[in-house]
Amino acid sequence: MKVCQRLLLILAVGCGGAKPAASPPPATPATVSCTDAVHKSLAGAPAPDPAFHASLVSLCETDRWSDDSKRCLVDSKGPDDGAKCEAMFTEAQRKNMMAALVQAANNATGEPVAPAQ
C-alpha cells in the first residue's frame, strides 16, 4: 500500500499541471537605416542643411555605423542620450563625424572653423 501511495504522490507531484508556456524571445528590433538614424539625430537642429544630412548618411554607410548606434540615435530623447550614443562609435567614426561637422560649419559660415580638440 505504501508503495502505491508513494507512486500516486510522485505522479501527483510530477503531473502537477502543465508547465506555463515559455514566453517568446523578445523581438529583435528591425535594422535602422542610416537615413532614419541621421534624420532623427538632426530632428532638433534648426533647418539642417540637406548637403550635411546627405554627407552624414553617406558617412554612416561608409563607416558602417553599428545597428546599436543607429538604434540609439533613433531612440534618443535629448542631449544626454546623444552622449550615450556617441560612446557607441569607434574613434575613427567619431573623428569622421567631427570632420563632417567642421565642414558643415565652414560651409554655413563661409569662414574656417577649427575642430574641437
Side-chain angles (χ1 to χ4, degrees):
M1 179 80 175
K2 286 188 177 197
V3 173
C4 286
Q5 287 176 339
R6 286 185 184 165
L7 183 58
L8 286 175
L9 180 61
I10 291 170
L11 288 174
V13 170
C15 298
K19 290 184 180 179
S23 58
T28 303
T31 301
V32 176
S33 73
C34 286
T35 300
D36 289 343
V38 170
H39 177 73
K40 174 63 170 137
S41 67
L42 296 177
D49 175 31
F52 177 60
H53 186 280
S55 72
L56 282 182
V57 171
S58 177
L59 191 60
C60 170
E61 293 166 350
T62 303
D63 282 358
R64 296 183 175 178
W65 294 359
S66 71
D67 283 336
D68 287 341
S69 63
K70 292 185 289 185
R71 169 69 50 205
C72 185
L73 291 171
V74 167
D75 293 342
S76 69
K77 308 249 184 294
D80 292 338
D81 290 340
K84 180 180 81 172
C85 298
E86 184 182 342
M88 295 180 168
F89 291 99
T90 66
E91 184 62 32
Q93 289 169 332
R94 283 192 293 273
K95 194 179 278 189
N96 291 340
M97 278 190 281
M98 182 55 68
L101 288 168
V102 167
Q103 183 63 47
N106 289 340
N107 292 344
T109 64
E111 298 178 21
V113 176
Q117 298 297 321

